[in-house]
Amino acid sequence: MKSLVLLAATVATLMAADPRLPKYTREQLPNGVVLYFLPKPSVPLVNFRILVRGGVESEPTGLAGISTATAQLLRSGSTRRTAAKFSEELDSLGGTFLAAANPQYVMVASEFLKKDFAAGLDLTADALLHPTFPEAEVKKVIARATDTVKGQKDNPQAAIGPYFNAFFYGSNHPYGRPTSEATLAKIDRAAIAAYAQQAYAGKNLVVIVAGDFDTPTATAALRETFAKTPAGTAFTPAKDVKPTAGAHLLLIDKPDATQTYFRIGQQGIARTSPDRTAITLINTLFGGRFTSMLNDALRVSSGLTYGANSIVDENRLPGAITIATYTKTETTEKAIDMALDQLKALNEKGITAAQLASAKAFVKGTYPTRYLETADQLAGMLGDIEVYGLNKGEVDDLFSRIDAVTLEQANAIAKKYYQPKDLTFVVLGNAGKIRDVVKKYAPSMQEVKASAPGFGN
Amino acid sequence: MKRYFKFLPAALLATMLGTTAHAGGVSDKEIVLGTHLDLSGPVAAGMPHLRNGMQMRIDEVNEAGGINGRKLRIVVEDNGSQPQLAVRAVDKLIRSDDVFAIVNPFGSGPNAAAVKKSVDAGVLYFSPWAASSVIQQISGNSPLLFTTTPNYNTVMHKGVDWMVKKYGSKKVGYIYQEGPLGDLMGAGVKSAVQANGLTLVAEAGYKVADIDFSSQVARMKAAGTDLIVIATVTRETVGIMSEVKKLGWKDVKVLTGNPGRTGIVLQLGKDTVEGLYGVGVWKAGTEAPEVKGWKDNFKKRFNNMEPDENALLSYVYTDWFPATALDLMFDMEADRMRNLAFDPKIIESERGVVYSERRTSVDNSNQGLLYEQLRAAAFTAHPYHWPVVGWPSDIESWSMDDLKAHYKMGYAPNNCVMVVVGAVTEARIMELAKKYLEPLPQQPPPPAIRTKEPEQNGERRVTIRKPAQLPIQLIGYHTPEGKHADTTALEVIDAILTAGQSSRLYARLVDKDQLALNVGARPEASLDPGLYIFNITPRAGIDTAKTEAALFEEIEKLRTTPVPADELRKAKNQLLTQQYRQLKTIAGRANLLGTFEVFFGDYNKLFTQGKDIEAITPADVQRVAAKYFTQNNRTVATLIPEAK
């Protein structure tokens, strides 16, 4: 009776209503600050999510890590509060405050009880708009960031990402300059203050309020809070920068490793690519879920790994499509060959109508809880819509975009983007045991020691 | 009356291809379905059963809260047994009623004419009562068509084959309705005849609306037929039997297929159809209790109408339609709790997978490696000594029998708690739980853990030296099981020490003394007494003697000095807002309920947790800290980087 049950599932999928963004409003203040309000009163919490356009892309050459360090220092002293006072007030409210940089923006996200709306906004805005970057605090943050970079090397899965980015994108690309001991050493208070003044300007700010709040009160408060922010100069992102990716291999030697971690990358897409929907479906089947080609082959059928997947970068500039997995040292070659076989199979044979239908159902079925369930998820979605110049069709038309992908289109996309050639390999493991095995995968091979500072850059 | 209904499993043609479905007919309040039945015409007499079977299931679904809160409503149109009327009915259902799907439409001819219109409009066509493979073909194998009627050729092949073998029939004749019904049944009749080394001695067709079958039956008689197979529905079945009786023809048997083998034929034909054989999907006379219960329910709903097999089938097919993902989830949970496949090949590959998990989370993870050693040292007797993923030699040597025994012990309904959160009703969930989970057999409960960890009477130390950039320090104290009264106070202590950058440990170790990159704690919910573990990543080059000394000083303060009121207030606020954060998602809610039920003994404690936290006093904090955070009760595990 298996078919009967599958049938029921299909029917259920068909009956699920298409997701829609809840009602929200957007306005722009004269100084350029964009305000969003999205009420979602399911729990008595309110979220402030502030995006500062620029992020890693806006870092001055040689100062990789400055956007993250600046973001971390926002809470470490303002014209009205010391670092300790900020933490004391925040924790007393049971609030959270997170500041981090991604490739195209810095995100400051805080969350408070509904009743603490005013106090929460005051804390968040004070950190964002009036930081003083005390010298002592700058030193602490830079010193900790330096140890964080070191500590990443103790965790191969965390370390291989920056190595891959440096190697795939190259140092001329903003995504190819990971934070290292050397770049952090050049960051001082003066550099941070100068960077913050330029970056945290009205024209770069997107302020999103989502969750349980009173809209008229919130609108008035936000307008007042951000009206006086200097407009400054809008960040203009670099254009037409391409990864230097190609057929080459980076080997990172970690002599105590008993597993080999590897990534195999090729040119992918930008967040706004028209091919994105089809790639999402193809990647779901190739390595985006548990029952995928890669995981079936490398995990389920052969037991070579705990998990194998495929990642599609989705940033402003075109990024990578990357196979990522690991295996014990002895099966390095077998696992890499098997991953490449799957890539070749996808490229040559494509997918079937049944697979496409399954991917469509999977993406639709997992979408609401991945992106639309909580106020902070919705705030994240609005932020993406603003930063990437999208509109609410990003959510509202998603299912019809998915439905519109035909088998022919999907297979053309598979052929175009999943090519078994010109691949960038990054391999981390015991080089003494795998060097001779992996060198065949690319015409050129570089080798670095995991214990050396930096990420091969 | 003598009749024989052979049971055939429903051969379901579920198509799983990609679909572009129409989302009409679905609003916040309801889902509109449509159907077309032969409300007039030669088979009209059988329609009330079919219609009521469908209505009964729809009513039940609505009574249980509908589908995700939406009620089902069905619009019934008449196809008059005529193809062109069926097309018109489907057109009306789509255009004017905006139906989400067409469900249980009747008749091979009408469905053959109308199916394309529906699927071309993107409207789901579910369970047409018709020649399935023909309808599939006409629809262009549309993924929007789901057929449930077993193919008539298969059914007829089995029926004819059985008759020939059982009664030694030598001369088989065939009377059929012209069109898809007769074509498909004929294919099965012919293949069965051929398979028995016979040939069909006579064939005679009739048209849907015909009422006189004398010529067809006469042709059978002339050919010396001893078995007449008839591809008929309602009125024609009776008509042909009546002709046979009229001729006083005794040495012949008559076999009809599933459409003609219905209760309504018996009701209409009475003595005339005595001696008719039928083949179909449902074994008549089944008096299983669930069938009896269903029949009683049907009669109660429909003014004492006696249901026939079409009423039941219509009910069943309708049931398949609104089945949501919930049915699938329950079916899968029940299936894996009872029928786990132990495939030696998969077991071997899974062994590799688990070993890879161990290599990733333990062998190549400094945190994982140290954590395993800490627990192994802190627990000398209790099974918490063992890592969940297993020691390498365990992974290498577990056997199929080990797995089977463990599966049988653990994966039993009496050993599980199921939490369902989301757009569901209790009535629906209980209905599904009764259907899928209740039949699962109980197993003896897992053996009680008799071994208790003896009291620790002195600090233990574990050291790992390996190539690393940064040291790690894990310091564990034995703490009671989750159900223990001190659990809430320990949570408050955890907030005081580690929640936020104003917490005592962050402020001291990370910020003020700059000894650590980060510091946290790992309160674990456990069934038996467990560990409360502090986790410190010292800064590069920092002597771990300094980090632990700073930690012990802070712990000593907590043991000896009452926590100030505003600091306690802060910790409570953090815990209370944290609760709301966990309630944001349906998964978070399910997880909380499950955790409270399993580890804290009662999900209801979730609803009093706020009050329980509020009740903690500075004296509670001090008492609990003094009780558990003692030198003798701790295990200190340190990873010291070694130059490579």
Side-chain angles (χ1 to χ4, degrees):
Chain A
M1 292 301 258
K2 187 142 207 164
S3 51
L4 182 150
V5 165
L6 289 174
L7 165 102
T10 309
V11 172
T13 304
L14 292 174
M15 296 181 90
D18 290 7
R20 298 274 184 269
L21 266 180
K23 283 211 171 66
Y24 64 90
T25 56
R26 176 191 186 274
E27 63 180 72
Q28 189 159 22
L29 302 180
N31 59 359
V33 177
V34 175
L35 302 178
Y36 278 94
F37 301 91
L38 187 149
K40 185 179 167 59
S42 61
V43 282
L45 293 170
V46 60
N47 271 268
F48 299 102
R49 190 183 185 94
I50 297 135
L51 307 187
V52 186
R53 295 174 204 261
V56 169
E57 287 186 18
S58 67
E59 294 184 330
T61 314
L63 298 184
I66 195 169
S67 59
T68 300
T70 306
Q72 286 176 344
L73 279 160
L74 294 174
R75 61 182 292 165
S76 304
S78 73
T79 48
R80 283 164 50 209
R81 290 176 175 92
T82 62
K85 186 159 192 300
F86 180 94
S87 293
E88 189 62 35
E89 284 184 38
L90 175 74
D91 293 345
S92 295
L93 296 173
T96 57
F97 182 93
L98 177 82
N102 85 7
Q104 40 274 310
Y105 55 79
V106 162
M107 181 194 69
V108 175
S110 61
E111 187 178 62
F112 300 91
L113 286 174
K114 177 188 185 178
K115 70 178 179 64
D116 298 327
F117 180 95
L121 175 61
D122 182 59
L123 267 175
T124 308
D126 187 36
L128 185 83
L129 302 176
H130 310 293
T132 52
F133 307 113
E135 181 78 39
E137 299 294 334
V138 172
K139 288 206 163 113
K140 281 188 213 167
V141 162
I142 297 295
R144 283 206 297 271
T146 307
D147 275 2
T148 301
V149 169
K150 288 190 178 128
Q152 256 178 310
K153 304 294 185 62
D154 288 339
N155 179 353
Q157 273 180 296
I160 196 166
Y163 278 113
F164 178 83
N165 287 342
F167 197 60
F168 181 85
Y169 290 103
S171 59
N172 289 326
H173 194 292
Y175 306 163
R177 301 189 285 253
T179 305
S180 69
E181 295 93 327
T183 66
L184 287 167
K186 289 189 216 146
I187 299 172
D188 57 14
R189 190 195 171 275
I192 284 175
Y195 172 79
Q197 191 173 8
Q198 195 178 1
Y200 290 66
K203 286 183 177 169
N204 290 330
L205 294 184
V206 181
V207 182
I208 301 154
V209 189
D212 194 358
F213 59 90
D214 176 61
T215 306
T217 314
T219 309
L222 269 284
R223 282 178 189 158
E224 195 196 325
T225 303
F226 289 95
K228 286 175 236 136
T229 307
T233 315
F235 169 67
T236 29
K239 286 199 182 78
D240 302 324
V241 196
K242 290 215 165 63
T244 56
H248 53 176
L249 187 146
L250 175 68
L251 176 61
I252 303 133
D253 184 25
K254 192 168 183 336
D256 62 311
T258 61
Q259 289 205 125
T260 299
Y261 299 76
F262 62 87
R263 295 205 171 182
I264 306 172
Q266 61 185 300
Q267 307 275 1
I269 52 163
R271 175 69 171 75
T272 49
S273 164
D275 292 340
R276 180 167 170 257
T277 307
I279 288 188
T280 302
L281 296 171
I282 292 286
N283 201 64
T284 296
L285 297 169
F286 183 58
R289 64 180 184 186
F290 189 86
T291 49
S292 66
M293 292 170 69
L294 285 172
N295 205 55
D296 273 351
L298 276 89
R299 173 180 163 137
V300 179
S301 306
S302 65
L304 289 174
T305 183
Y306 188 56
N309 54 46
S310 168
I311 306 155
V312 178
D313 290 347
E314 294 181 346
N315 289 308
R316 198 179 58 76
L317 295 166
I321 295 177
T322 315
I323 295 170
T325 185
Y326 44 81
T327 190
K328 64 175 186 254
T329 306
E330 296 73 25
T331 49
T332 301
E333 184 178 18
K334 198 173 168 192
I336 295 179
D337 284 349
M338 199 177 275
L340 293 174
D341 285 347
Q342 293 304 315
L343 183 59
K344 196 154 170 266
L346 175 63
N347 181 271
E348 288 173 3
K349 293 185 201 139
I351 60 165
T352 65
Q355 281 179 298
L356 180 60
S358 167
K360 286 179 174 181
F362 181 87
V363 173
K364 286 181 181 180
T366 52
Y367 187 80
T369 50
R370 280 181 72 183
Y371 299 106
L372 307 176
E373 191 178 10
T374 66
D376 30 324
Q377 287 174 338
L378 289 163
M381 184 58 73
L382 292 179
D384 276 5
I385 286 173
E386 180 65 32
V387 169
Y388 297 109
L390 310 169
N391 56 50
K392 70 184 170 68
E394 177 64 16
V395 174
D396 293 2
D397 305 335
L398 177 74
F399 280 21
S400 44
R401 283 200 304 277
I402 290 173
D403 288 335
V405 176
T406 65
L407 184 59
E408 291 69 30
Q409 286 167 345
N411 278 328
I413 290 291
K415 208 162 211 37
K416 180 174 170 192
Y417 288 100
Y418 292 79
Q419 296 197 16
K421 59 170 190 181
D422 293 332
L423 300 169
T424 303
F425 289 79
V426 173
V427 182
L428 187 156
N430 184 339
K433 290 188 178 165
I434 58 174
R435 189 180 293 117
D436 291 342
V437 170
V438 300
K439 68 182 179 203
K440 71 172 179 186
Y441 293 110
S444 74
M445 179 168 88
Q446 270 172 263
E447 189 175 322
V448 295
K449 284 197 169 305
S451 56
F455 294 94
N457 52 340
Chain B
M1 173 185 157
K2 182 177 65 177
R3 55 184 180 147
Y4 178 78
F5 294 113
K6 186 163 166 53
F7 177 79
L8 291 175
L12 186 69
L13 303 170
T15 315
M16 287 293 296
L17 299 177
T19 60
T20 306
H22 164 93
V26 181
S27 67
D28 288 349
K29 301 228 165 71
E30 65 174 13
I31 297 168
V32 186
L33 308 174
T35 192
H36 57 87
L37 305 175
D38 303 44
L39 300 179
S40 57
V43 299
M47 290 303 110
H49 289 96
L50 206 145
R51 185 177 175 170
N52 286 348
M54 182 160 38
Q55 193 64 50
M56 177 168 159
R57 186 58 197 139
I58 286 173
D59 291 346
E60 285 175 355
V61 168
N62 289 340
E63 285 155 20
I67 296 173
N68 295 333
R70 299 180 178 96
K71 298 287 164 71
L72 293 176
R73 175 165 67 85
I74 187 146
V75 182
V76 183
E77 292 293 319
D78 182 17
N79 66 30
S81 294
Q82 294 176 45
Q84 68 277 23
L85 289 183
V87 173
R88 207 180 295 168
V90 165
D91 194 50
K92 186 243 170 198
L93 289 168
I94 294 171
R95 281 171 187 273
S96 114
D97 300 308
D98 193 28
V99 296
F100 174 72
I102 292 173
V103 182
N104 280 326
F106 196 85
S108 289
N111 277 309
V115 63
K116 195 90 171 66
K117 181 148 214 103
S118 177
V119 297
D120 282 354
V123 174
L124 203 64
Y125 208 72
F126 191 84
S127 184
W129 292 55
S132 293
S133 63
V134 176
I135 306 297
Q136 286 281 0
Q137 215 171 13
I138 292 170
S139 78
N141 285 322
S142 168
L144 294 175
L145 168 66
F146 295 81
T147 54
T148 53
T149 306
N151 271 315
Y152 296 144
N153 53 339
T154 320
V155 176
M156 292 316 284
H157 181 104
K158 297 231 174 194
V160 171
D161 188 60
W162 190 87
M163 292 291 288
V164 168
K165 290 201 161 72
K166 175 96 179 171
Y167 298 110
S169 307
K170 293 275 181 295
K171 295 188 168 177
V172 182
Y174 182 45
I175 302 177
Y176 59 93
Q177 186 186 83
E178 290 171 9
L181 179 74
D183 293 347
L184 197 57
M185 284 199 173
V189 174
K190 283 168 194 162
S191 68
V193 166
Q194 202 176 13
N196 282 284
L198 304 171
T199 49
L200 213 51
V201 297
E203 280 185 71
Y206 70 88
K207 294 203 162 41
V208 168
D210 285 356
I211 48 170
D212 175 13
F213 303 95
S214 54
S215 69
Q216 287 89 344
V217 174
R219 201 183 301 174
M220 296 296 127
K221 180 109 170 101
T225 309
D226 57 7
L227 170 62
I228 310 175
V229 185
I230 58 174
T232 51
V233 190
T234 311
R235 202 164 69 188
E236 321 85 79
T237 311
V238 179
I240 289 169
M241 283 305 286
S242 152
E243 249 347 284
V244 171
K245 294 276 164 85
K246 214 187 288 174
L247 293 174
W249 190 5
K250 304 271 189 203
D251 54 348
V252 68
K253 292 186 163 47
V254 182
L255 171 72
T256 189
N258 26 343
R261 189 223 59 170
T262 58
I264 194 68
V265 169
L266 303 181
Q267 277 177 36
L268 291 176
K270 301 199 175 68
D271 290 351
T272 311
V273 294
E274 184 67 33
L276 172 68
Y277 290 77
V279 56
V281 294
W282 186 55
K283 192 169 178 178
T286 304
E287 285 307 329
E290 63 267 29
V291 175
K292 169 115 185 19
W294 179 85
K295 277 183 171 175
D296 292 345
N297 193 354
F298 185 94
K299 281 159 111 170
K300 213 184 300 166
R301 284 173 189 262
F302 302 108
N303 202 17
N304 233 11
M305 177 191 230
E306 184 70 35
D308 69 350
E309 54 274 33
N310 276 0
L312 179 59
L313 275 180
S314 166
Y315 174 90
V316 170
Y317 294 161
T318 308
D319 179 49
W320 291 351
F321 179 77
T324 62
L326 261 184
D327 285 79
L328 175 65
M329 304 285 282
F330 269 90
D331 190 40
M332 281 175 28
E333 289 301 329
D335 183 39
R336 63 185 186 157
M337 216 183 275
R338 196 208 292 249
N339 303 318
L340 188 66
F342 289 92
D343 175 349
K345 204 170 156 273
I346 293 291
I347 304 276
E348 275 324 296
S349 95
E350 199 59 24
R351 196 189 298 280
V353 170
V354 174
Y355 210 146
S356 175
E357 181 184 5
R358 185 187 160 83
R359 273 190 210 93
T360 306
S361 62
V362 181
D363 302 339
N364 290 276
S365 158
N366 292 352
Q367 278 278 347
L369 203 57
L370 193 63
Y371 177 74
E372 185 175 87
Q373 289 297 313
L374 171 82
R375 292 189 71 91
F379 291 102
T380 56
H382 190 276
Y384 290 168
H385 170 84
W386 298 316
V388 174
V389 73
W391 300 108
S393 53
D394 294 334
I395 298 170
E396 281 160 11
S397 55
W398 35 251
S399 71
M400 181 78 97
D401 288 342
D402 295 335
L403 298 179
K404 283 184 176 167
H406 182 80
Y407 174 70
K408 193 171 175 194
M409 174 203 78
Y411 292 76
N414 50 308
N415 195 37
C416 84
V417 174
M418 186 177 209
V419 184
V420 184
V421 176
V424 294
T425 61
E426 190 182 343
R428 176 74 178 136
I429 293 299
M430 290 314 292
E431 182 190 339
L432 290 168
K434 287 204 165 82
K435 176 173 168 190
Y436 290 103
L437 303 179
E438 203 167 65
L440 297 178
Q442 289 203 19
Q443 300 294 344
I449 308 293
R450 285 170 301 201
T451 307
K452 290 193 166 61
E453 183 62 28
E455 191 181 346
Q456 186 174 335
N457 289 317
E459 184 189 79
R460 293 177 196 150
R461 286 194 172 258
V462 188
T463 308
I464 293 177
R465 291 176 194 277
K466 73 174 293 260
Q469 302 270 343
L470 301 177
I472 305 174
Q473 220 163 21
L474 299 176
I475 297 169
Y477 293 86
H478 289 281
T479 46
E481 68 281 1
K483 290 176 191 170
H484 194 279
D486 289 343
T487 295
T488 308
L490 280 164
E491 281 173 26
V492 173
I493 289 174
D494 184 57
I496 293 169
L497 291 176
T498 70
Q501 295 192 9
S502 75
S503 65
R504 291 189 180 187
L505 294 182
Y506 187 96
R508 170 80 190 272
L509 276 82
V510 179
D511 191 56
K512 181 168 157 276
D513 292 358
Q514 297 192 58
L515 294 172
L517 188 54
N518 50 55
V519 56
R522 204 160 160 169
E524 296 174 326
S526 57
L527 294 174
D528 286 335
L531 286 184
Y532 180 91
I533 303 171
F534 292 99
N535 185 341
I536 306 170
T537 307
R539 295 280 301 276
I542 291 290
D543 183 350
T544 53
K546 285 191 182 166
T547 46
E548 65 175 71
L551 172 71
F552 297 152
E553 261 182 53
E554 290 302 323
I555 286 175
E556 197 52 29
K557 272 186 218 160
L558 201 64
R559 287 163 51 94
T560 51
T561 319
V563 57
D566 52 351
E567 193 180 5
L568 184 59
R569 181 71 261 151
K570 178 178 75 173
K572 289 177 179 177
N573 287 353
Q574 286 173 306
L575 289 173
L576 295 170
T577 50
Q578 182 54 30
Q579 249 199 320
Y580 285 122
R581 293 198 175 92
Q582 290 173 297
L583 292 172
K584 277 192 222 174
T585 63
I586 51 173
R589 291 168 195 203
N591 189 41
L592 270 183
L593 287 166
T595 301
F596 273 78
E597 176 69 18
V598 172
F599 290 107
F600 305 145
D602 185 354
Y603 72 88
N604 280 305
K605 285 191 187 169
L606 174 61
F607 308 119
T608 60
Q609 197 198 19
K611 255 200 287 180
D612 297 344
I613 290 169
E614 280 302 328
I616 299 294
T617 63
D620 292 329
V621 170
Q622 209 174 331
R623 175 185 59 80
V624 170
K627 185 168 167 191
Y628 301 108
F629 296 143
T630 66
Q631 182 175 3
N632 281 353
N633 189 33
R634 75 183 173 218
T635 304
V636 180
T638 310
L639 184 137
I640 298 172
E642 225 174 30
K644 180 69 202 165

